[in-house]
Amino acid sequence: MSDVVEKTLTALPGLLSLDSQPGSTKLSSSSKLGNLIRGITELTSKHEEEKLIQLELTSIKEQVSSPNTSMRQMKELMVRAIYCEMLGYESSFSYIHAIKLAQQGTALEKRVGYLAVSLFLNESHELLLLLVNTVLKDLQSTNLIEVCMALTVVSQMFPKDMIPAILPLVEEKLNHPKEIIRRKAVLALYKFYLIAPNQVQHIHNKFRKALCDKDPGVMTASLHIYLQLIEENPEGYKDLTTSFVTILKQVVGGKLPMDFNYHSVPAPWLQIQLLRILCLLGKNDQSTSEIMYEVLDESLRRAEINHNITYAILFECVKCIYTIHPKSELLEKAAKCIGNFVLSPKINLKYLGLKALTYVVQQDPKLALQHQMTIIECLDHPDLIIKRETLELLFRITNAQNVTVIVDKMLEFLRVNKDDYTTIDLVGKVAELAEKYAPDNEWFIETMSTVFSVGGDTMQPDIPNSFLKLLSEGFDSMEEDRKLRLFAVDSYVSLLQEEPGKLPQRFLQVISWVLGEYSYLREDLEVDTVLRLLAKLLDMKTTSSETKSWVLMAMTKLCEGGAGVSVAREVSETYSSSLDTVLRQRAQELQHLSQDSEMRARVLPRNAGLDPLEVDSSLSFLDGFVSEALAAGAAPYKPPHQRQEELAQAKALSLEPYGLSLPISMSSCCITDRQSPTLLSISSGLSGNSNDLSYRGGLKLDGVKRVWGREGYLAQREPVEESAHVEVPSPLRSPSQQGGAGGSHSHTPTHTPTPEPELEKQQLASSLFVGLASQSSVCLMGKSEPTPQRFRRKANSPASSSAASEKQSNSMVSAPSTVDNLMFNNLLDSHITSEPAVSSLEQTPQLSQGLVAANGSCDEELPDSDVNGSSPSLIGDDPVVAAELAPHEEPPKDLLLSSCLPAELSGLSHSEITPLCSDQILDLSACHVQKEDALVLVVFIYNSSDSDIQQILLELDSEELEVSCESDSAVQEATGHSVAVCQYSLSVKRPSVHVELVGMVSYQFPVGTPQSVQFSYKLPLSSFIRPMTVSTEEYGTMWLDFSHDTKQNLTLISDDQEPLTATLSVLKKKLQLHVVEIIGMEGIVACRLLQDQPCLMHCRMHAGTMAVWLRSPVPDLPDCLMYFCQRALQEH
Amino acid sequence: MMRFLLLFSRQGKLRLQKWFTPMTEREKKKITRDMTTMVLSRQPRSCNFLHWKDLKIIYKRYASLYFCLAIENQENELIALEVIHRYVELLDKYFGNVCELDIIFNFEKAYFILDEFLMGGEIQETSKQMVNRSIEASDMLQETMEEYMSKPAF
């Protein structure tokens, strides 16, 4: 076949002479497109091409807009426009005409119209709106081809929000008599399911009908949907296992029509689809797995023809066999099959063999041993892709004994690799291995130096961060710590003496920090040598300003003695006039601290790594300053989101106030950025059982970011480790010794004498596969291993370690925060002195709160933000309710009012009762009550006069809220000295941090004129937040669907065992969030805004803070929730 | 699921592009550039599979034309290679001894065939006969005599 195809022509210029050749008739030489194409091929320069195309586009433009152009001509014009676009020239003028052509043309013209539309327009293009009608019309057409075209375009590019318009019609097509229509309809629904799963939820039973369709093509199409559904919820479809097995049996047995054969293999696509489904169903489920053993065995047996397609099926079979509940007989066959892949001379199969090995090595490490020579060969393969895959495999079998060899190989690869994505991934892996298994200090520092120089500025920022953290926190022995640091200082000094210009910025930052902190350890090293080396960095043109501020920081730590001060003066003079404010600040610090050594010792204490610094993140020491400024007439502070909002209101045109919200797209380009945390990101290829958690439901645990695994924090030296020591002759081997030592290792198979190069390979093999053999302590993927680990952290409780990390990052980056700390002691005083006014006002609400509690109706779950009258926030914009409280208000009235709460609400938590307004007759107060599914506003109308009042009319209105009256009628009456109660249920229309209600009460005495009073009531958005219970899988799908998001780092709460858990439980308690799952360093949380507007939260611990990412379909909701989270944590 | 299919010549000229997930023009251009440089720099007889970000790239050269298909991570590489091959077979069946020029001059036809073969990033019809039947059906539908004559014979 391919020979037939390869008969083609070699070069385009020969085209003109083609007329005599047999293919010439089909070139439609007279067509305008033909002329254009030929014209282009004759050109020599890009510039000429540009000119020609512009000319062409002008002529197309002229013709399309002419009213005399027929649809047939239009079709031809569109083809030309498509061609120009393909060459990269925009022809946006033709878009509208493409839609017109799809609308008005006859079937053939329509087809071109639809094609042009699908090539020109993006999913988010506004012109697509115009297409909906055309599609609707064509879906209803009696012409099959028109229906097909409509279904095709629908599955190609239909935007989410237009799906409802056509969904019923597409659904209807599931019952169409023609199978091709049914098949296309199923695929279109599959596409809808991918972009908007909620919209097709109601037709799940129809999918089942499609699965049972008498046409195998329709059935095959429905499997796409089932694969997706089962991936999300395998439990829900276990009952279908037998059906899938039966279908597969029939397919394998050749029961399908010949039409479905591909190179005499029966329906391979269908087979693979089914195998993938079975794989999902049988995972961790013995009884389901048992149903499929037989058919899997048969599939293995039947796939015997030596063709790619059978290998594809075999590969899928093997994957399935290793994923489901194991059966030894099948495993054996599968292992043999993998052997065939690995040993195949075909490079593609070899590649897949390596992949399969990577996949199974977790369950069956001996398999890797069997193929060790092949693996060694692949390690030196000229094709980088093969090499890369081999390293991936080696990464999974690394242990303390082979780490040096494997890391060596990885670094070797990194030096030649040019693909950034691979580099980032691999650098992370090297760093992970180095930290986990480093045999000695020198090796560790050297390896990390290579990682930093190769990884450059593209690598994940966690790598340098955790490296520095590791250095500063130290390990069990002080002496070891000292040695490690000393070695780092030594090697960095010599690096700086060579060619610092070649080092990446990140590495320079690491170097300057280490030198700043630890160069005092090397006593014979003159301070001004280091200072001069650092100063040289400042002078280099390539040094970024971020690096410069790290360097200045290091110099600030170092400058002492006469020489130091003079260097410092010089440098600070240069940079104190820098345009970069950060640099200028650093220069100022350097200048001042270099002159005052006592202050410097206090601010930057040497070797202060151990005592955690306290940081007053609420900046309360500035309260005095703020209150003075306010008193002097300064505008009160508004948090950024509120400013944004006001700005947005001011500019009516800004539809999207927050730059962060990106348009939804599932495109591959932004994958790294927008990927759901429930998808595995950089994990290597296949993932097995033990890491399946991360593969599907779980969080992203694998891959570069996880530099420290859970075992990294293993604290004490355990007796088990000692015993492991015994088994390993010497864990501290240098690479040169490794070969020999490995060779003598008892596990390596003995070989008969072989020629030289072979011998080399065998030595390499034995050093690579050492420790892999059948001991019980085999450790793969670094999971649960009792092997000795060099860099064990001290027995820090996690809480103190996170506190320390916070401290550390502060001492690393900012001197000012250290200074803050000096003032921390004054915190208490400043509170008292700066807020006399507030505190006096505070007493009232506190009192009333106490009374409410005494009344028994105040529940512990009362969200904190509601009672924030007691929080001393002067800076915040929070409308402290207490401030509105009139001083003459008597506490007993609160008691009276809360006793008036309707019976059905009295058991629920409610906010304090706030007076709204009063005149001489009426006194209005209100509170809000949190019901599980609603927020109820209760308004108390107290008639303080002696006479009765009839016809009290209460009207409420709000921009942000939906208000509906719950009482029977809004008109009330109140007898003298009694209370009337109105209830309203509230829901949010438009989220904002505080939502406000305005209202008016009007009433009339039996005799007299009507009166009316206005009032307003403000309540925080957090009262509308309720927990939302979802599973991790559901969370994952929802995550991708939501377009509005915001990210921020929040402080962790560290007074508990596990900082993340502690922080999340505080948030859960205060804001009523639902914690979905916490896995390692990450947690996912869900909540909803009444009624059911979901908002999802993803938190990740990172360098002592919690990186929070909020997402929701509702604009502004993430920002508001972020605000409340921040407050909740601050108040804690 | 497949993400995109690109056809380009040995000189790096794009001949056909199909995107199965929405993408902006800029992303498309960047990907096209990345793919051509990546694939064209491959040595002959090396592995047909590549990695690009988190996607697998499967490419195959047929004479002067490169077919480059991106699939998601959990998909099977070998079957993707056969998807490409089946598409070539379909083109060959339609044009009769297909060559790059057929695709250049009749690229819209190549798109139509692709649309019958793949839909929404999944295989829709694996039978050669069926795909051709539906293409012919729509071709014949309203074609004038003149167009019919200029259509390749097979």
Side-chain angles (χ1 to χ4, degrees), chain A residues 4 7-9 26 75 111 122 156 183 190-191 224 262-263 312 316 348 351 383 421 671, chain B residues 19-20 23 42 46-48 51 53-54 63 76 82 86 89 97 99 101-102 122 125 139 147:
Chain A
V4 186
K7 59 101 215 186
T8 196
L9 330 161
K26 56 180 117 162
K75 177 189 135 205
R111 192 165 67 161
N122 204 311
Q156 167 72 23
R183 195 173 56 217
Y190 164 68
K191 195 73 196 206
H224 294 304
Y262 178 81
H263 292 259
E316 217 58 47
N348 288 344
Y351 171 86
D383 193 341
Y421 199 76
I671 281 274
Chain B
W19 307 90
F20 296 108
M23 241 171 264
R42 299 281 293 165
S46 45
C47 185
N48 291 72
H51 291 266
K53 301 217 169 166
D54 64 336
N76 188 315
E82 295 314 301
R86 175 43 56 112
E89 285 179 347
N97 282 350
C99 67
L101 289 178
D102 292 323
E122 300 286 357
E125 176 61 80
D139 271 3
E147 276 170 322

Side-chain angles (χ1 to χ4, degrees), chain A residues 584-651:
Chain A
R584 208 154 67 208
Q585 185 191 346
R586 298 274 172 264
Q588 290 291 347
E589 285 164 13
L590 174 61
Q591 192 183 356
H592 289 292
L593 294 177
S594 68
Q595 280 156 13
D596 186 347
S597 61
E598 199 181 309
M599 164 100 106
R600 193 167 60 84
R602 221 154 37 109
V603 175
L604 298 165
R606 178 167 285 178
N607 200 13
L610 298 174
D611 328 305
L613 286 182
E614 298 281 344
V615 176
D616 178 12
S617 59
S618 67
L619 303 181
S620 57
F621 57 90
L622 287 174
D623 285 351
F625 175 77
V626 172
S627 54
E628 263 173 44
L630 282 176
Y637 172 75
K638 286 174 188 158
H641 53 85
Q642 200 187 343
R643 269 177 280 162
Q644 281 267 6
E645 203 166 86
E646 282 168 13
L647 212 66
Q649 280 163 359
K651 287 189 234 154

Side-chain angles (χ1 to χ4, degrees), chain A residues 54-72:
Chain A
Q54 287 312 340
L55 218 68
E56 178 75 16
L57 283 176
T58 331
S59 108
I60 296 176
K61 192 172 183 175
E62 221 167 78
Q63 289 179 62
V64 286
S65 42
S66 141
N68 299 327
T69 312
S70 71
M71 278 297 142
R72 236 184 83 197

Side-chain angles (χ1 to χ4, degrees), chain A residues 906-937:
Chain A
S906 62
L908 301 162
S909 66
H910 66 81
S911 68
E912 71 207 52
I913 295 166
T914 322
L916 293 174
C917 63
S918 60
D919 60 3
Q920 53 278 50
I921 314 282
L922 285 186
D923 238 329
L924 261 71
S925 324
C927 71
H928 51 272
V929 183
Q930 310 223 4
K931 294 204 327 194
E932 197 186 322
D933 263 321
L935 189 82
V936 178
L937 177 76

